[in-house]
């Protein structure tokens, strides 16, 4: 029987942290842990980054909230930075990732409605996707384990296998409005997507007047070594949802679009109370300014390659524990041969905090500011945890 007043929707670890600094978290009992999950790709610049702390403090002393009834200069500034550095012309700020995907889907459907085609409202999505926890986002993701028990799911989605262009072509019809996917699936198990597949989707969208939506909530803000992952393939979307890393730990998100794709988003059709508030905008601007500094993304790519190479060696050395490593930049996943939750326990015992994912994956997503020396420490801890896992397996085998 729990004594917590929190609703028990998480199987929480008993670990509790008092403070953080860079890649490190300090628990209430004094132990230090390396955060290689970044709060699920959120703390992109690590914990207590001086520039973010200063931005938040400075803005907090001036103005927190005024409502989107008024012009918010901080939001205008961040939106201009985003459009200057992406495919997009316009931005709508939200409080979270799931609100960003909801807004992106609404924009796509509204686009066709405004053009006199209200019947075009279905969205093609892909197996193992994850687009958020609202009912519509869950329906888009299509994973029954998340939908179970919540009654009828919202309609309007056609789900197909990831990577199968022929399957996509077969479901495109007169009611199809858009195609939505993650350029690298996160919750689904760090599944990278062939650039040729993205190019094929772009071609289908152009041929049938569909909108291409990217969910870059986990992949964005430099996580893959590019500002946004679509740049890796050179295939731009019409609409893109972002969140997580762009706030560096402060709750914020956005959906971005071309002027054409956003043409149906006129006054009164969408809104938010807290989205785009001055506090969030100040922190988001500080994050983006840091990521866009000369050499920052180059360093992320270099560190990502170094870490991936070192993890590949660990996979070879512990072949009874690991199957492979995959991913892009500092968004990597170790596919396990043992149950990932069992290995996660050994990693925590060794002072390491990865995040589980589908396909029996442990996500390795440290802050983008991790140093090469800290990468060595991270790899050493994974090596030690894998050795502990092997000892456990040997002990069980001996006992049998």
């Amino acid at each position: 029987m729990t004594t917590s007043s929190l609703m028990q929707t998480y199987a929480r670890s008993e670990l509790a942290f008092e403070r953080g600094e860079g890649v490190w978290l300090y628990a209430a009992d004094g132990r230090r842990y390396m955060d290689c999950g970044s709060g699920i790709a959120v703390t992109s610049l690590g914990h207590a980054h001086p520039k973010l702390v200063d931005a938040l403090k400075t803005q907090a002393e001036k103005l927190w909230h005024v409502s989107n009834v008024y012009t918010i200069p901080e939001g205008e500034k961040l939106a201009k930075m985003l459009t200057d550095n992406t495919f997009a012309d316009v931005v709508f700020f939200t409080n979270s990732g799931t609100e960003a995907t909801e807004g992106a889907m609404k924009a796509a459907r509204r686009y066709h409605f405004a053009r006199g085609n209200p019947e075009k409202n279905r969205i093609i999505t892909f197996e193992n996707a994850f687009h958020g926890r609202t009912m519509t986002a869950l329906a888009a993701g299509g994973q029954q384990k998340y939908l179970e028990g919540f009654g009828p799911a919202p309609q309007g989605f056609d789900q197909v296998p990831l990577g199968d262009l022929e399957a996509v072509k077969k479901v495109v019809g007169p009611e199809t409005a858009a195609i939505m996917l993650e350029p690298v699936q996160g919750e689904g198990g760090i599944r990278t997507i062939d650039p040729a597949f993205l190019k094929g989707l772009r071609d289908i969208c152009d041929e049938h007047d569909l909108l291409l939506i990217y969910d870059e909530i986990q992949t964005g803000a430099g996580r893959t070594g590019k500002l946004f992952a679509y740049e890796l393939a050179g295939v731009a979307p019409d609409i893109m949802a972002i969140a997580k890393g762009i706030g560096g730990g402060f709750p914020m998100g956005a959906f971005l679009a071309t002027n054409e794709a956003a043409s149906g988003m006129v006054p009164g059709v969408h809104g938010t109370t807290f989205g785009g508030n001055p506090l969030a905008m100040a922190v988001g601007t500080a994050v983006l300014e840091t990521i866009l500094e000369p050499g920052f993304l180059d360093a992320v790519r270099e560190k990502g390659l170094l870490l991936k190479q070192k993890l590949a060696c660990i996979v070879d050395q512990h072949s009874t524990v690991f199957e492979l490593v995959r991913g892009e930049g500092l968004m990597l996943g170790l596919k396990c041969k043992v149950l990932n939750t069992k290995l996660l326990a050994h990693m925590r015992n060794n002072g390491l905090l990865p995040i589980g994912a589908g396909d029996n994956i442990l996500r390795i997503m440290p802050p983008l500011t991790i140093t090469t020396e800290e990468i060595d420490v991270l790899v050493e801890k994974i090596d030690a945890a894998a050795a502990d896992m092997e000892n456990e397996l040997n002990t069980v085998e001996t006992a049998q």
Side-chain angles (χ1 to χ4, degrees), residues 135 138-139 144 147 150-156:
M135 288 299 295
L138 288 176
Q144 291 305 309
L147 286 162
F150 293 115
Q155 299 302 298

Side-chain angles (χ1 to χ4, degrees), residues 314-324 334-340 342-344 346-347 360-362 382-394:
I314 292 291
V315 169
D316 290 340
Q317 293 165 11
H318 300 281
S319 58
T320 59
V321 175
F322 299 115
E323 182 176 334
L324 53 82
L334 283 166
K335 184 170 173 57
C336 304
K337 290 184 177 178
V338 298
L339 192 62
N340 63 354
K342 287 188 175 182
L343 183 56
L344 177 59
H346 286 295
M347 289 199 177
N360 207 31
I361 287 281
L362 283 179
I382 292 177
D383 184 32
D388 290 345
M389 186 76 249
E390 288 167 339
N391 290 336
E392 179 184 327
L393 294 173
N394 291 336

Side-chain angles (χ1 to χ4, degrees), residues 26-75:
Y26 296 84
D29 64 3
R31 285 198 67 188
R32 186 174 80 157
Y33 294 81
M34 177 174 276
D35 185 359
C36 64
S38 299
I40 316 182
V42 168
T43 50
S44 49
L45 302 183
H47 299 280
H49 189 285
K51 183 167 182 173
L52 304 196
V53 172
D54 181 64
L56 186 60
K57 283 183 175 180
T58 300
Q59 185 60 47
E61 291 173 351
K62 294 193 296 184
L63 190 65
W64 292 22
H65 177 81
V66 293
S67 143
N68 286 295
V69 170
Y70 307 103
T71 296
I72 300 175
E74 298 84 2

Side-chain angles (χ1 to χ4, degrees), residues 111-128:
Y111 164 81
H112 292 289
F113 176 86
R115 291 163 63 90
N117 301 305
E119 75 285 355
K120 292 177 73 69
N121 54 52
R122 299 190 69 83
I123 298 174
I124 297 171
T125 59
F126 296 89
E127 293 176 0
N128 298 306

Side-chain angles (χ1 to χ4, degrees), residues 105-346:
M105 290 185 281
K106 288 177 71 175
R109 287 171 170 171
R110 187 78 191 184
Y111 164 81
H112 292 289
F113 176 86
R115 291 163 63 90
N117 301 305
E119 75 285 355
K120 292 177 73 69
N121 54 52
R122 299 190 69 83
I123 298 174
I124 297 171
T125 59
F126 296 89
E127 293 176 0
N128 298 306
F130 184 83
H131 298 297
R133 290 282 191 168
T134 59
M135 288 299 295
T136 306
L138 288 176
Q143 296 196 46
Q144 291 305 309
K145 65 181 179 180
Y146 296 129
L147 286 162
E148 184 180 10
F150 293 115
Q155 299 302 298
F157 299 97
D158 297 300
Q159 197 166 67
V160 299
L162 184 65
D164 190 338
L165 277 178
E166 292 306 311
V168 175
K169 293 175 183 177
K170 286 179 182 177
V171 298
V172 171
E175 296 181 348
T176 306
I179 300 173
M180 181 167 72
L181 77 163
E182 305 151 88
V184 179
Q185 284 191 342
E187 299 290 328
I190 312 297
R191 298 173 190 268
T192 56
I193 297 173
D194 187 344
F197 180 69
L198 295 178
K199 177 64 167 60
L201 295 181
R202 180 73 270 174
D203 291 342
I204 291 170
C205 287
D206 293 343
E207 179 182 351
H208 296 280
D209 188 27
L210 313 180
L211 297 182
L212 182 59
I213 305 171
Y214 286 160
D215 176 345
E216 290 236 27
I217 289 163
Q218 194 164 151
T219 57
R223 177 55 53 185
T224 64
K226 294 287 188 179
L227 184 58
F228 292 103
Y230 76 83
E231 299 172 61
L232 293 169
V235 180
D238 302 293
I239 305 173
M240 179 171 71
I242 68 173
K244 289 186 181 290
I246 190 64
F250 195 95
M252 68 165 293
F255 61 96
L256 291 63
T258 63
N259 282 326
E260 177 72 10
S263 58
M265 301 299 279
V266 296
V269 304
H270 193 53
T272 173
T273 297
F274 297 108
N277 69 78
L279 281 174
M281 298 298 92
V283 176
T285 297
V287 170
L288 194 54
E289 285 177 345
T290 302
I291 292 173
L292 290 175
E293 287 176 0
F296 185 93
L297 288 170
D298 291 336
V300 172
R301 288 193 292 275
E302 291 168 4
K303 289 183 288 190
L305 180 59
L306 174 65
L307 178 55
K308 193 173 186 180
Q309 290 171 338
K310 287 179 177 289
L311 291 179
C313 292
I314 292 291
V315 169
D316 290 340
Q317 293 165 11
H318 300 281
S319 58
T320 59
V321 175
F322 299 115
E323 182 176 334
L324 53 82
V325 58
R326 64 192 182 206
E328 296 285 349
L330 288 173
M331 184 178 181
L332 301 174
L334 283 166
K335 184 170 173 57
C336 304
K337 290 184 177 178
V338 298
L339 192 62
N340 63 354
T341 52
K342 287 188 175 182
L343 183 56
L344 177 59
H346 286 295

